[in-house]
Amino acid sequence: MDEKPEGKGLRSREWFARQDKMGFYYRSWLRNRGLPDDQFDGRPVVGICNTWSELTPCNGHFRTIAEHVRHGILEAGGYPLEFPVLSLGETQMRPTAMLYRNLASMDVEEALRANPLDGVVLLMGCDKTTPALLMGAASVDLPTIGVSGGPMLSGHYRGQKIGSGTNTISMSEQLRAGEITLRQFHEAEGAMSRSAGSCMTMGTASTMASMVEALGIGLPTNAAIPAPDARRNQLARLAGRRIVEMVREDMRMSKILTRQAFENAIRTLAAIGGSTNAVVHLLAIAGRLGIPLTLEDFDRLASEVNCLVNLKPSGEHLMEDFYYAGGLPVVLRELVERGLLHADAVTANGRTLAENVAEAECWNRDVIHSYDAPFKPHAGIAILRGNLCPDGAVIKPSAASPHLLQHTGRAVVFESIEDLHHRINDEDLDIDETCIMVLKYCGPKGYPGMAEVGNMPLPPKLLRQGVRDMIRISDARMSGTAYGTVVLHVAPEAMAGGNLALVENGDMITLDVAARSLNLHVSDEVLAARRAAWVPPETPLAKRGYTKMYVEHVLQADKGVDLDFLVGNSGSPVARDNH
Ligand code: FES
């Protein structure tokens, strides 16, 4: 067998170049699929990290995508090896897929480090699969390309476009208010999810697919090509070809995911009106690479950035429309031309961000606005501070009601998600539209897993009066497909002893988004007395196994909700042999 000179120095040579007992082990078992011995001649070995699962319907088409990646790797002279990792289905998993994001990232990290891989293509789509795979891969730092599965086709129901999650929420409110029938509700379920792919609103999946493109770790147009569109498979094939070159160039993940790349992602997040979930995910990915990123970076860099994209939940269109209008490259070009991005950031295809988008054109200005005539001005995520959230809280002003952005109201407190469900439909609940709803114990440790329950349902009696928004405050997250004046990610969370745990019915709270403040009007003395009497509730599920480890080690929202021992120290050392 002639050794390819390019194989010198590759990680996989620690396995396959061995001419001894261990080399026999490493090669022979892989040859049971009919491989000739020149398969081990020094060609780059590339993993295809697949999150296909029938329990993750958004990633249900990933076997096809993996085949296209495989073809691309073979065409470029690489050796593809596909492997599964824990998949996280957002709609099915209880208590929340977010509880398992870090576990899936550990699966990815250990699979990459333990095996004879020189590079990896990450196949990801449903919300938590994207950050989990990026976090795990970042901890190993091989040459890496992300390929997203793409959004579903637009939903259509009785003459109107309906979007994943966003219309689920609005229609469930309509059902509770008696405005639609149960039959109509069921009819809409089928009309909404009518093709392969992830949620087709600018929810968390589409936001994270956009982050993959803005960070430069995916190829241009990664964010928006619909899942059933043949161009999605074409992108996968090109990624397969390119990853082989990246291995040859030793273009590791850390060469792309620099501080500049994260700053680009943060500004892009504002320009697309993206999900608040991206805040915790970007913090966690940066943490794995040892890049200091803080909540303040989101406010400082992007709160003044205009939102250009008219997509649900903040707007009216869907991801399919976004792609046909030109997709994320148009947004990136608008930002580059205003000097808002690091134009020279290097991306996975070896070109700079600016080079990638130089020829991007917009085909529909109702979907993608120009920067000078934006869809919404100054629409980035705002970071709040105050005695209710000394370590920060998050609000997305573009999804909020303008009249509530500066408001003082009486707290109506729910001690748990069960308490909320138990009392929210009570006609005697003492609440009106000026009140502020407060939900406790839904943070990283409290739920556990920091569920997407921050956009609490409104009381039916207020819905019937036409009330459609109220201020809601919690330590939870919110689905990227949701909307409303919702303060999220309060840190420290109630379960960690934050002042959120001490709020009582009738306390007055002031939200002032312009001043970036969230304050509880209760004196320090009274808070100290309440704290002395405070007894944290028992965490369900946390007595054993992964959940116990998670609760003991999880960081707060302002640190990305990662496990403390997974931050930093990234690398891909080859461990000793097994025999
Ligand atoms: Fe999978 Fe929304 S539920 S992307």
Side-chain angles (χ1 to χ4, degrees), residues 56-59 88-92 125-128 152 164-165 197-201 203-206 479 481:
T56 309
C58 312
N59 299 8
L88 307 174
E90 192 68 25
T91 54
Q92 311 300 322
C126 196
D127 293 17
K128 302 305 175 293
M152 288 188 268
S164 319
S198 50
C199 292
M200 73 329 231
T201 43
T204 303
S206 298
S479 163
T481 62

Side-chain angles (χ1 to χ4, degrees), residues 24-69:
F24 187 106
Y25 274 119
Y26 295 136
R27 292 183 298 270
S28 175
W29 271 258
L30 282 171
R31 293 186 67 181
N32 73 354
R33 296 173 66 217
L35 302 180
D37 61 6
D38 66 2
Q39 188 77 18
F40 305 99
D41 58 1
R43 67 190 71 189
V45 182
V46 178
I48 305 171
C49 179
N50 200 343
T51 48
W52 174 89
S53 166
E54 285 188 295
L55 288 167
T56 309
C58 312
N59 299 8
H61 57 304
F62 278 21
R63 284 171 160 170
T64 304
I65 290 185
E67 281 310 301
H68 286 277
V69 173

Side-chain angles (χ1 to χ4, degrees), residues 111 180 382:
I180 61 170

Side-chain angles (χ1 to χ4, degrees), residues 263-339:
E263 292 187 355
N264 285 346
I266 289 170
R267 287 209 159 121
T268 305
L269 177 64
I272 61 174
S275 163
T276 46
N277 282 322
V279 177
V280 288
H281 298 326
L282 289 173
L283 289 169
I285 299 162
R288 295 293 181 99
L289 290 159
I291 295 172
L293 200 67
T294 66
L295 274 181
E296 267 57 42
D297 287 324
F298 287 81
D299 209 321
R300 182 178 58 80
L301 291 165
S303 60
E304 296 301 309
V305 170
N306 296 337
C307 175
L308 311 187
V309 171
N310 177 8
L311 294 190
K312 290 174 187 280
S314 301
E316 19 170 341
H317 299 291
L318 295 167
M319 287 299 286
E320 199 182 340
D321 308 307
F322 185 38
Y323 181 57
Y324 301 148
L328 195 69
V330 175
V331 176
L332 296 176
R333 182 178 176 179
E334 292 276 348
L335 297 179
V336 166
E337 287 177 351
R338 268 125 199 110

